[in-house]
Structures are given as structure tokens and as C-alpha cells.
Amino acid sequence: MPINTQPVTINLGPQHPSTHGVFRLRVTFDGEQVIDVEPVFGYLHRGTEKLAEERNYVQIVTLTDRLDYVAAMTNNLAYVRTVESLTGIEVPERGMYLRVISSELQRIASHLIATGFLLDELGAFHTPLIYCFRERERILEMFEMLCGARITVSYMRPGGVLQDAPTDFWPRLDDFLTSMPGYLDELEGLITENEVVLARTRDLGILSAQDAINASITGPVLRATGVQWDLRKAEPHEVYDRLDFDVPIGSVGDTFDRYYVRIQEIRQSLRMIQQCVAQIEPGPVRSKAPYFIRPDSVDAYVGTESPKGELGFYIVSDGGISPYRMHIRAPSFINLTVLRELLIGWKLADLIVIFGSLDIVVGEVDR
Amino acid sequence: MYGLGLVKGLMVTAKNLVLPSRMMTVQYPNRKVGLLGLSKATGVPLPKLLLKDPITSVKSLLGMAEVKESLPQHPRFRGEEFSWYEQRCTGCASCAKYCPLGIIEIVTSESGDQMQEGQKYHLDKFDIDIGRCMFCGLCVEACPYDALHMGSGFEEGTYRRQDLVIDKRKLVSAKKTPSTWFRPQLASKKYDPHKGKNVKWDGAGRHEKPSLEQQQEKWAKR
Amino acid sequence: MTEILILRSGFDFNGIYGFFDEFMPDSLDWLVFLITSLILAIVIINAVVLSTALLTWFERRLLGRFQSRLGPNRWGPFGLLQPIADLVSLLTKEDTIPEGADKPIFTLAPIVFLAPALIVFSVIPLHGGSFLGNLNVGLIFVIAITSINTLAVFMAGWSSLNKYAMFGAMRAVAMLISYEIPMGITVVAVALVAQTLGLSDVVLAQDIPYILVMPLAFLVFITAASAEMSRTPFDLIESDSELGAGYHTEYSGAKFALLQLTEFMAPIIVAALVTTLFLSGWRGYGPIPGPVWFVIKTFIVLFGFVWIRASWPRLRVDQIMGLAWKGLLPLSIINLFVVAIEVFIFNPGENGLSTTDLWIMTGVNWGVTIIAIFAIFNLLGQSKSERPVPVISPLANMYANTNTVKKITDLAEAE
Ligand code: SF4
Ligand code: SF4
């Protein structure tokens, strides 16, 4: 006797523990198997691009904090670099070093969150997550020293950074740099060799290099496929050309590689910060830039390597004090283009894990 | 391999179980303490504590006595209660203009009183709707006279949204513990707002307050 | 007077029944039976619920420490009153039934879920005997009663008209039934060595704790048991990151409290069973009385459960089924086979196996365990953990626009 079966359609999200905010996936299941996925987004749309048209160039910095809200520093950096390329404002040396230090710290924090939540989605009862948050907490405390806030930092300004680091910042940073590798080893001991993690993530959701490039994917997700592409090396900005670091890549392009590339990138970031601390010299941190910037050029696009991928700002100016149009190339959003192809054929539990390994932040997807 | 990775994971969690230094959370706003912890926290020696406050001592034996605790904050923390000095404010409304959200409302009128240097508006209204504020600090950055400073605390919860509008009366009477954020003059004095010391209006400025002789000299030259 | 009597006759069904029977006429036997049952029910329910409340506190506190945070600490000393606060909060919440739910089944499910857990407690021997006296088919009773849970989970998931709950329920049925098989087979091995089916007699037969005699059986049992109570790494019935809450997604208020209560009761039951079957129950050394030993051992097992919960992620549904059928079932059969041969060779008489026999068995079984586990791991492909060396894809060259071409040659040399 044939058994009548029919596919089940489930709304995963917008309120779901594992959708990284308010993201909605309409998934059709055959049993536990995913046969169709339709991402629905826009639940966190705040009209950042439109809001930017009514604010002057400094005020927009506060908007960029809220794009990828776990990596505000790199958002700031991407934005102010665009404004600088639009206007030709110079940045003093120390300002550049402080920018690199803070954005690499932010990269560590963001990757820690990605790792922690990936493990949470794998079902580890919050332990790796809380260990990750514990280390991230120390970074956030340092951000508080730099700029008075922990998440929405608004630290960078066109022409440098807001203010110099306080004297007690440097011992804290040294302390962090010395202890972090040990903590990272410990975290890896909990995850990297764990059989359950390996069984769950290995060869799961494989993305080929070809597909990744065709879909314009950037960041750790791209590097996990074996493509060595990092804007910090490809178009060195700030002081990245003075720093010695590797660009880790993955071997297969599966979920485990995406996790492991992030862990290796944390180590590289620590290396970079160490070199920055050794190289930084006293001096001004912010060049004299007018508060109301009136750019001469018409438009500029600058892409910056944010923790999620290439975060680009495209600004069109009509010479006024606020942009005529601002467009954000959000890496989280563009990395989602392969979501459907990645998910189909896997099980419900894998769906959550693959989705988590892409590491999106809905604030950036919906903007 | 062969389950050794699982055992390694168990060891990591065990290490975190036995090492108290790994603990990162604090009990906020009150910490429950035992008897020894109580005498340490209050600074009262143990025998004296037992004699003076037996009820609390018994409570603390059950681990139920409480002492205040919160995470340490850097003096630069951009906190909630703005510190605003009426004496310094000229009513120029730069802060209102620079605020990305437009939540500072300033109404001024001619005051007519001649200050020593230039004129000053009379401030009829100075409202900050901190219910919508994002504490970006651009207003503080903009203030040319160091009249507006970020605050240092964050415990200003209220039950109604109107209460979150801090008006001139509240601003004047509020505790003046400004954050050292974007105020290098305070930071260079090693000022820590979390110690609770108030800063007077003449101590918050970028420049030292001119002495009487200097002022007279300046006036004499005019 | 009563106290002495209860103590002398043992606090079990027969004891209480005998106590009341003494001064009741024979025609009122049914009343005596009723009173006895009621007393027992009250005692069991209170004991179980209290210990469950304590366990929730213990688990949350310990998990907190594992995760370098504090755990509940607000209510009462060290947060000890937290379970009560939770209970009050749950009971005062509105008890909603979703529209379109199958109301009778929806309401019945928590009760069906709770009842077997309570019943199992009545046969666990705390010292010499259990509440029900020394039930001579205790092992079979326990295995039979605990499998009712499957039904309750499915009732809850099916009736609440929620797709997540349905997913949880379907997973539960598949998983719980699969894991009952290896569990049952290991229990048979235990019964074979102990030469009895009564739980108290199993304890009495353990001159050496069976964890030493049959390590393989212990491993299989504890794995299957943690699957049975759906704890990490087998917690896919209510996997919170996938299904929200699984089968109890739609439950709230008092019904949810009942479900949670049972869920936290399950570790206690399993820990008590493990203690009875493998850790020689209440038997211990020195002046410490039996029940205390029993509680200590149970707590050690519970600690292990919490430790594992704090450390490991969850397996996927097909991997869990694979583990049951490809891993645990063969292991349990190997164990049964080896034990059966040994028992056949030693041929115990009336008094069961002697200590020397047990020691010999211990040696043999440890060897078998190690070989079997290695074999199974190799068969399941765990040894193939080598990953290919990362190769830089030729599709993109990030040094194209920069002056750092030297780097690329460096990298080539390094490889
Ligand atoms: S802190 Fe920012 S949002 Fe708040 S009042 Fe000042 S400028 Fe406006
Ligand atoms: S910018 Fe400063 S001086 Fe001007 S109105 Fe605001 S607080 Fe007063």
C-alpha cells in the first residue's frame, strides 16, 4: 500500500532562536529533509541608506554602528574610509594605527560571536558561547576605554579617530594579547577535535570556490572555499601593508572550514595587533577636518574587509553637507545569495548549522 | 579520534569549573556575601560586626547579606545623565543642531545681562529626550563652551516615557559627575566620575579659570 | 510507637499494610489497601518532587559554574529557593490551549508523562527494599514502565497542532524506541550475571560493582539512558536551537510545569537505576548508612550528566539513529554474548557467581570492551579524520594589484 506523504512547510523565524535576529526562512520539508527554502527578509529594515541622506557626514557614523551591530568598529572604518576617499582628507599616522588596532579587536570579537553561536546551534548548551562572550567582554571593555561605549562605538571620524587611547588602555591590551592565545587554545580544545562537532560539521554544506566567486561571496566564507582573497592584502589600506600576516584558507569549503578559518583569523588578528603595538608612535590622532564636509568629487566606492566580508560604501555627493545617495554593500546580505543552494538536501538540524556558519547579522542584511 | 576529543572537551569544562578566576559575571546590583565577605566588604572587623549587627551576621551566615556591587566602568563611559552647566551654556544651540536625532530642544530669549565676555542668551527651555537618545555624544563633541558633558551612570529607568525627557530643572539639579569622554581636560586631572565627586562649573572647562588679576588685566586692556 | 513499627517492618507496601492490618477487621481489607496506597503515593510524590526541585537547582548552579557564570543566586541562600520561585511563576501563568488542539489528549499528555516517572520510583531500592517491597520482576517493571514516556511525548507533540512540536514528537518516537533495544539487552546481561530480576537482589549480587565487571554494558546503558531521557548529546526532541522547544512548544502554565518536572525527574531515575544496576546501589563501606551511599552515588552520576551537558554539542537525528542501530546494538549484543558464555562456563549454583568468578569476568570483559569499541569506531569511520591540506585556489590572486608579489613566492616555497 503506498503511503501518502506530503511536504511540510515551516516558517523558521522571524522569531526563532537560531535565525540570528529576525530573519525568516520559509522551508519546505520532506520528513526532515529540506526540499525548498525561501528566505524572507526585511524585518529589521530601518532605512539606513535613506536616513543617511538627511544627515551630515559625521552624523552618519552613528548610523553605521547599527549595521552590523557586533562589528561596529569595522563599519565605522569602512564608512570613514569612503568619506576620506571622497574628500581627500588625510589621516595621521597614529590615527591609522588606532583604527587598525580597534578594527582588528572588533574582528576578534565578531569571530568569537560567530563561533559561539555556531556551537550553540550545534546544540552545545551555551558553554562555548559563554566562553566566547567572556573573551569578547574584555574587548568590549577596551572599547569602553577608547570611546566610552561597548557596542555602538562611533569611534572613527573622517580624518582619524575621535580621541587618543587613554594610558590605561595599553596595559589592558598587552594583557589581552598575552592571555588570548591560551584561551583560544582552550576554546579549540572544546570544539576543534570534538567528535560530535566533527560529525556534525564536516563535509556539511560544501561551497565550491567557483560558486562562491560567482555569487560574489566574500570574507571567511569565501576563504573557507580555498580562495585566498582578503582586501587587507589585496588593497592595503591604513597600515596593513606594514604588517606581516597570513590569510588563512580552508581546504574543502564546508561548515568546519568556515569555523576553522575564523579561528585562524583570530590568531592572525592578534599577530597584527601585536605588531601595531610595537610600531605605534605618539602623535595626533585626528587631522583637522571641517565638521560640515562638502566633498568635491562626485562619488566614491571603497570596500573594506569587515569580519563578515567586503563591506563597501558607495556615496554620491552633490556637494552638499550630506550625501545625495549612499549605498551599502552589505557582506551578510550578499553572502546569503547561496543560501538556497547550500541548504537544499540537508536536514533541519543541518539547515540551522549551515545558516549559522554563514554568520550573518540581520542588522546588516536588512539595513 | 576514538572519543578523545570528547574527553578533551570535558577537561576544558572541568578546568573552568575549578578555576574561580575564570568567573566573569558579577552579581548586580547586590552581591550576596558570607560572614567573612561581609566584614571584608564593609571594612568592619569580624568581632565588631558580630556584636554590632547580629541579625545581618546571621543572614550572612546563610549567604543572604548583600553588599552593593557593579562592574567597574571606565571614566570615559558615555553614560545617561548629561552633566550640563547653566553657567557655561550660552544657548548657542550647537548641540541641538549636531544631534543626529534632533532630540535636544532649546528655546532662548535675550537675557540682556552683560557677561564679562560677550553676551549670553537666557535659556527658557533645554530639554533632552533621552528616551530616544543613542548616547553617541555628538552633542557633547559639538559644544564649544564645554557646557554639556556625557554622564557616567546608566541606572535611570523610569516607568513612563515622559519621565525620560530631562528638562532644564532636572539638568540643573542633577549630580554633576561628567564622563571624561571627549573632555581631555577632565581626563588629564585623573577625574573619575564613578567615585562620585561633583565637578563645579568652573572646573569643567578646557581652560583654567582665569584668576582675578588676569581678568582685570584683560578688562583693562580693552 | 508507629515509628518503631514502620522502621521494624521496613517502609514498604507490605510493612505499612501489615501495620494497619493488625487493628482492622478483615472485612475492611480494601480500606487498608487504599490507605496504604495513599500513604505511599504521598510519600513518593513528595520525595520525588522535592528531589527534583533540588536537582533543578543543582543542575543550574553547576552548569553556571561550568560556564564560568553564577547560576541562580537571588532567592534564598545560594539561590536554593529558586525552584519554588520558578514553580510559583509557572503556576500563576495562564494555561493556554491552542485553538485547534486536540484538547483531551493535550491535557492528558503531561499526566501520562509524569505518572510512569513516579511509578518507577516506587521500585528503586534505597536500602534493602523499595517502597513497593522487593519486587521480584523489578528490572522488567522498570523497562516496561519507562517506555510509556514515548507515548506521552507523542501525544503532546501530536495534539498541540504545531509543526515544531510534531517534529519533536516524530523524532522522539523514532529515537526512544531505538534506544530501548540496546538498553533492554544490557539489562538482560545484568540480570544474567546477577541471576535475578529483582532490583534489590541485583544490588545484593554485586560483590564487585558491575561497572567494573561489565564496562561495556555500563557504557551502552548510560548512552542509551541519556538518549531515553533526551539529554545532551541526544537532546533532539526539544533541541532548542532547531525546534524552539520541541514537543512542548505550545505548553504553558501548570501543564508546562508538569512536563518540566518530569524532564528533570528523568535524570534522577536514570541515575538511580545506574546506581542500582552498576554501582552496587546502597552498598558501601564504613559506618555511613546505605541510603546515604545511594544518594552519593546518584549524585556522582548526576554530576556526570551535567558535565556532559555542559561540554558537548548535539548529534543530528540520523546520526543518533545510526549510533543506536550501528553502534550500541552490536555492542550490547557482544556484551550479552560474552557475559552469557562466561556465566555458562562458571555455571553458578544457588548462590550466584563467586567473587573470584567476577574478578575473572572483569578481566575478560575489559579486554572485550576495548577491542569492541575500537572496532566500532573504525567501522563507523571515525578514524578517517584527516583533512586535505588547503590549496590556494587559482581563481583569484590578491597580490595582483600590490607590490607584495614577493609574498606569493614565499608561500610557494613554504609549501
Ligand atoms: S548623545 Fe547623540 S543622540 Fe543623544 S542628545 Fe547627544 S547627539 Fe543626540
Ligand atoms: S552647545 Fe553647549 S553652549 Fe551651546 S547650547 Fe548646547 S550646551 Fe549650551
Side-chain angles (χ1 to χ4, degrees):
Chain A
M1 190 190 80
I3 302 171
N4 265 340
T5 57
Q6 68 183 57
V8 190
T9 305
I10 285 192
N11 262 323
L12 265 156
Q15 309 298 337
H16 187 276
S18 303
T19 49
H20 293 242
V22 281
F23 191 82
R24 180 171 153 212
L25 288 163
R26 221 172 36 224
V27 196
T28 311
F29 288 103
D30 177 14
E32 290 251 345
Q33 208 102 11
V34 178
I35 53 175
D36 193 16
V37 181
E38 186 194 339
V40 186
F41 31 81
Y43 290 90
L44 203 61
H45 178 64
R46 292 150 301 173
T48 307
E49 292 173 5
K50 190 73 192 165
L51 285 173
E53 290 168 19
E54 310 191 333
R55 279 160 175 70
N56 68 41
Y57 286 98
V58 174
Q59 288 174 340
I60 294 173
V61 172
T62 61
L63 292 179
T64 63
D65 286 342
R66 286 149 179 87
L67 288 175
D68 175 359
Y69 37 73
V70 297
M73 282 288 187
T74 43
N75 296 351
N76 282 185
L77 180 66
Y79 169 71
V80 295
R81 280 189 60 220
T82 316
V83 175
E84 279 153 16
S85 102
L86 193 67
T87 56
I89 299 173
E90 293 287 317
V91 185
E93 195 95 316
R94 190 178 173 87
M96 294 212 272
Y97 275 109
L98 276 173
R99 279 183 179 187
V100 170
I101 291 176
S102 54
S103 53
E104 290 309 317
L105 282 176
Q106 186 72 75
R107 192 182 312 277
I108 297 173
S110 172
H111 282 346
L112 281 175
I113 286 203
T115 309
F117 276 108
L118 176 66
L119 262 288
D120 214 39
E121 273 140 27
L122 280 170
F125 191 80
H126 308 320
T127 312
L129 177 68
I130 290 176
Y131 290 173
C132 287
F133 264 64
R134 190 179 60 190
E135 308 319 324
R136 172 176 178 259
E137 187 68 23
R138 306 192 316 154
I139 296 174
L140 296 190
E141 273 168 17
M142 280 189 271
F143 283 171
E144 191 182 304
M145 289 180 166
L146 280 177
C147 58
R150 297 151 54 89
I151 310 283
T152 51
V153 286
S154 299
Y155 181 49
M156 297 177 195
R157 296 283 186 273
V161 296
L162 180 67
Q163 51 188 347
D164 204 348
T167 41
D168 47 351
F169 173 77
W170 301 106
R172 277 289 265 282
L173 185 62
D174 279 341
D175 182 38
F176 176 77
L177 288 177
T178 45
S179 60
M180 189 62 194
Y183 281 118
L184 215 52
D185 289 341
E186 197 179 295
L187 192 67
E188 274 207 66
L190 194 59
I191 306 168
T192 307
E193 284 168 39
N194 193 316
E195 271 80 2
V196 181
V197 176
L198 291 180
R200 284 294 301 278
T201 59
R202 198 178 283 158
D203 297 335
L204 174 71
I206 296 180
L207 181 65
S208 71
Q210 197 79 50
D211 286 353
I213 290 179
N214 284 348
S216 176
I217 283 178
T218 46
V221 183
L222 174 69
R223 289 192 281 276
T225 64
V227 180
Q228 207 174 32
W229 181 260
D230 191 323
L231 284 176
R232 289 172 293 176
K233 278 257 200 248
E235 301 164 4
H237 52 87
E238 315 303 329
V239 292
Y240 281 117
D241 47 353
R242 297 177 214 171
L243 306 178
D244 177 30
F245 64 99
D246 305 328
V247 179
I249 53 170
S251 50
V252 187
D254 57 1
T255 306
F256 183 80
D257 271 339
R258 272 167 241 153
Y259 148 74
Y260 202 54
V261 162
R262 291 202 178 96
I263 291 283
Q264 285 168 300
E265 272 184 27
I266 294 179
R267 293 192 192 279
Q268 295 301 330
S269 290
L270 288 172
R271 245 179 93 191
M272 275 180 245
I273 300 170
Q274 237 141 15
Q275 294 169 35
C276 281
V277 173
Q279 289 174 14
I280 193 166
E281 269 162 22
V285 295
R286 187 178 180 183
S287 61
K288 282 261 176 291
Y291 191 89
F292 292 115
I293 297 165
R294 291 190 167 78
D296 307 326
S297 17
V298 175
D299 64 348
Y301 172 84
V302 174
T304 308
E305 188 73 27
S306 89
K308 313 277 189 294
E310 177 181 343
L311 175 63
F313 281 83
Y314 178 62
I315 298 180
V316 182
S317 155
D318 57 359
I321 55 167
S322 55
Y324 175 73
R325 173 83 172 89
M326 184 171 94
H327 176 73
I328 303 161
R329 184 211 186 271
S332 296
F333 177 63
I334 290 172
N335 287 359
L336 278 179
T337 40
V338 284
L339 189 64
R340 189 166 180 276
E341 282 69 34
L342 275 186
L343 292 182
I344 285 180
W346 297 100
K347 297 207 162 39
L348 167 59
D350 298 333
L351 178 150
I352 302 289
V353 175
I354 296 174
F355 183 63
S357 74
L358 290 181
D359 185 24
I360 61 150
V361 166
V362 179
E364 198 175 57
V365 175
D366 294 344
R367 304 198 284 290
Chain B
M1 202 181 294
Y2 298 117
L4 288 181
L6 294 174
V7 178
K8 206 169 160 191
L10 286 178
M11 288 304 123
V12 171
T13 39
K15 193 169 154 196
N16 280 281
L17 174 75
V18 292
L19 289 182
S21 62
R22 296 295 172 83
M23 188 87 85
M24 286 299 273
T25 49
V26 299
Q27 302 178 29
Y28 172 82
N30 295 323
R31 180 162 53 100
K32 310 249 170 176
V33 285
L35 196 50
L36 284 175
L38 186 66
S39 87
K40 210 170 162 191
T42 50
V44 184
L46 198 54
K48 206 171 155 197
L49 189 77
L50 285 174
L51 285 177
K52 225 177 73 188
D53 201 348
I55 298 174
T56 321
S57 315
V58 172
K59 258 178 136 181
S60 72
L61 271 182
L62 288 170
M64 280 172 69
E66 295 178 344
V67 291
K68 273 221 167 312
E69 174 151 316
S70 64
L71 278 174
Q73 275 168 353
H74 197 261
R76 265 192 194 176
F77 178 70
R78 299 205 295 254
E80 200 166 4
E81 323 91 353
F82 288 92
S83 292
W84 178 71
Y85 297 98
E86 197 184 8
Q87 296 93 327
R88 300 194 72 89
C89 181
T90 59
C92 69
S94 298
C95 49
K97 217 179 292 168
Y98 282 39
C99 173
L101 307 176
I103 55 171
I104 304 182
E105 188 181 358
I106 295 178
V107 177
T108 53
S109 56
E110 294 261 347
S111 67
D113 60 333
Q114 294 287 322
M115 297 293 278
Q116 285 177 331
E117 300 217 347
Q119 200 170 2
K120 173 184 188 307
Y121 286 112
H122 184 265
L123 282 149
D124 298 330
K125 199 170 180 190
F126 195 109
D127 286 1
I128 308 179
D129 180 3
I130 61 166
R132 285 161 61 204
C133 179
M134 55 185 176
F135 307 102
C136 61
L138 288 186
C139 51
V140 176
E141 205 181 324
C143 179
Y145 302 104
D146 290 350
L148 193 62
H149 305 256
M150 295 307 288
S152 50
F154 54 90
E155 294 161 319
E156 293 278 287
T158 57
Y159 283 100
R160 288 178 305 161
R161 287 195 79 92
Q162 307 75 309
D163 297 348
L164 285 172
V165 180
I166 44 177
D167 54 16
K168 192 181 155 195
R169 189 176 42 81
K170 270 192 211 159
L171 278 170
V172 170
S173 59
K175 255 176 86 178
K176 298 289 190 302
T177 52
S179 153
T180 64
W181 182 83
F182 206 69
R183 291 287 178 256
Q185 67 268 27
L186 289 176
S188 64
K189 281 186 218 152
K190 297 247 180 316
Y191 173 70
D192 187 354
H194 304 288
K195 299 224 169 78
K197 221 173 99 216
N198 279 6
V199 175
K200 292 239 173 50
W201 71 273
D202 48 359
R206 239 163 272 187
H207 314 287
E208 284 293 309
K209 187 188 174 191
S211 65
L212 213 54
E213 288 93 68
Q214 281 169 332
Q215 284 181 26
Q216 278 165 355
E217 204 175 299
K218 210 168 183 182
W219 277 99
K221 272 194 190 145
R222 280 214 176 164
Chain C
M1 169 69 183
T2 41
E3 276 174 2
I4 297 166
L5 261 174
I6 287 172
L7 274 184
R8 193 185 297 151
S9 58
F11 190 75
D12 58 23
F13 193 87
N14 296 334
I16 307 173
Y17 188 86
F19 168 73
F20 283 113
D21 211 23
E22 263 178 35
F23 49 84
M24 288 275 207
D26 275 358
S27 57
L28 281 180
D29 269 0
W30 61 273
L31 187 62
V32 176
F33 192 85
L34 202 68
I35 292 172
T36 316
S37 320
L38 270 181
I39 290 177
L40 266 183
I42 288 168
V43 167
I44 292 174
I45 290 174
N46 278 310
V48 173
V49 170
L50 270 181
S51 53
T52 311
L54 201 67
L55 176 74
T56 57
W57 174 84
F58 173 75
E59 171 152 1
R60 292 174 60 183
R61 202 68 197 178
L62 197 61
L63 267 180
R65 289 309 308 268
F66 271 124
Q67 300 174 348
S68 66
R69 57 189 176 86
L70 288 164
N73 56 54
R74 291 281 101 178
W75 294 107
F78 312 109
L80 260 174
L81 298 183
Q82 185 67 38
I84 295 169
D86 285 344
L87 191 71
V88 170
S89 118
L90 277 179
L91 290 186
T92 48
K93 270 180 192 146
E94 189 192 352
D95 190 358
T96 54
I97 297 179
E99 204 175 296
D102 196 339
K103 278 183 192 131
I105 296 183
F106 188 80
T107 318
L108 212 58
I111 301 164
V112 178
F113 201 36
L114 178 66
L118 290 174
I119 293 172
V120 170
F121 263 95
S122 56
V123 296
I124 305 265
L126 283 171
H127 63 290
S130 60
F131 292 120
L132 272 191
N134 190 1
L135 200 65
N136 59 358
V137 288
L139 274 174
I140 294 175
F141 185 81
V142 167
I143 295 290
I145 292 287
T146 46
S147 38
I148 296 177
N149 269 358
T150 318
L151 186 65
V153 171
F154 191 69
M155 280 164 71
W158 175 266
S159 64
S160 48
L161 200 74
N162 180 315
K163 285 170 187 166
Y164 288 115
M166 194 60 215
F167 260 93
M170 295 306 277
R171 286 175 171 192
V173 172
M175 187 179 88
L176 296 184
I177 290 179
S178 312
Y179 275 87
E180 233 142 61
I181 297 165
M183 194 164 152
I185 294 177
T186 42
V187 169
V188 171
V190 170
L192 206 59
V193 178
Q195 298 279 308
T196 171
L197 282 174
L199 284 170
S200 309
D201 301 334
V202 170
V203 174
L204 288 175
Q206 290 184 51
D207 292 328
I208 307 170
Y210 284 172
I211 181 175
L212 293 177
V213 180
M214 294 182 291
L216 192 55
F218 174 76
L219 281 179
V220 172
F221 186 86
I222 209 150
T223 317
S226 40
E228 282 284 302
M229 58 183 178
S230 83
R231 281 180 74 92
T232 323
F234 309 102
D235 57 345
L236 50 77
I237 296 178
E238 53 197 284
S239 50
D240 47 351
S241 64
E242 293 153 26
L243 299 178
Y247 67 95
H248 57 62
T249 308
E250 293 289 352
Y251 280 86
S252 67
K255 296 203 193 80
F256 180 70
L258 281 188
L259 289 174
Q260 282 294 310
L261 185 71
T262 318
E263 218 145 77
F264 273 101
M265 221 176 262
I268 301 186
I269 296 172
V270 169
L273 265 182
V274 168
T275 310
T276 311
L277 296 183
F278 293 101
L279 302 178
S280 70
W282 70 85
R283 293 174 68 172
Y285 308 97
I288 306 170
V292 178
W293 275 110
F294 188 85
V295 170
I296 290 174
K297 286 173 185 172
T298 313
F299 259 84
I300 291 173
V301 179
L302 284 175
F303 178 85
F305 285 147
V306 178
W307 192 4
I308 286 173
R309 185 172 181 207
S311 307
W312 297 349
R314 169 194 317 130
L315 282 162
R316 206 199 308 153
V317 59
D318 56 328
Q319 289 164 343
I320 289 182
M321 301 301 284
L323 183 66
W325 292 103
K326 290 190 253 170
L328 294 188
L329 187 65
L331 283 179
S332 62
I333 290 177
I334 291 170
N335 179 60
L336 179 65
F337 195 65
V338 172
V339 166
I341 290 175
E342 283 162 351
V343 172
F344 178 73
I345 291 171
F346 292 128
N347 194 14
E350 282 292 293
N351 301 324
L353 293 159
S354 70
T355 318
T356 347
D357 295 347
L358 283 179
W359 276 121
I360 298 168
M361 280 176 74
T362 307
V364 176
N365 284 353
W366 273 95
V368 171
T369 305
I370 291 167
I371 294 167
I373 286 181
F374 263 82
I376 288 284
F377 264 115
N378 276 330
L379 283 178
L380 290 184
Q382 279 298 312
S383 56
K384 288 182 283 181
S385 61
E386 300 299 307
R387 288 182 70 80
V389 183
V391 184
I392 298 173
S393 158
L395 292 175
N397 178 12
M398 67 174 171
Y399 300 105
N401 300 331
T402 58
N403 309 327
T404 40
V405 186
K406 198 176 128 275
K407 273 286 157 63
I408 247 184
T409 50
D410 281 359
L411 273 174
E413 276 165 25
E415 277 171 22

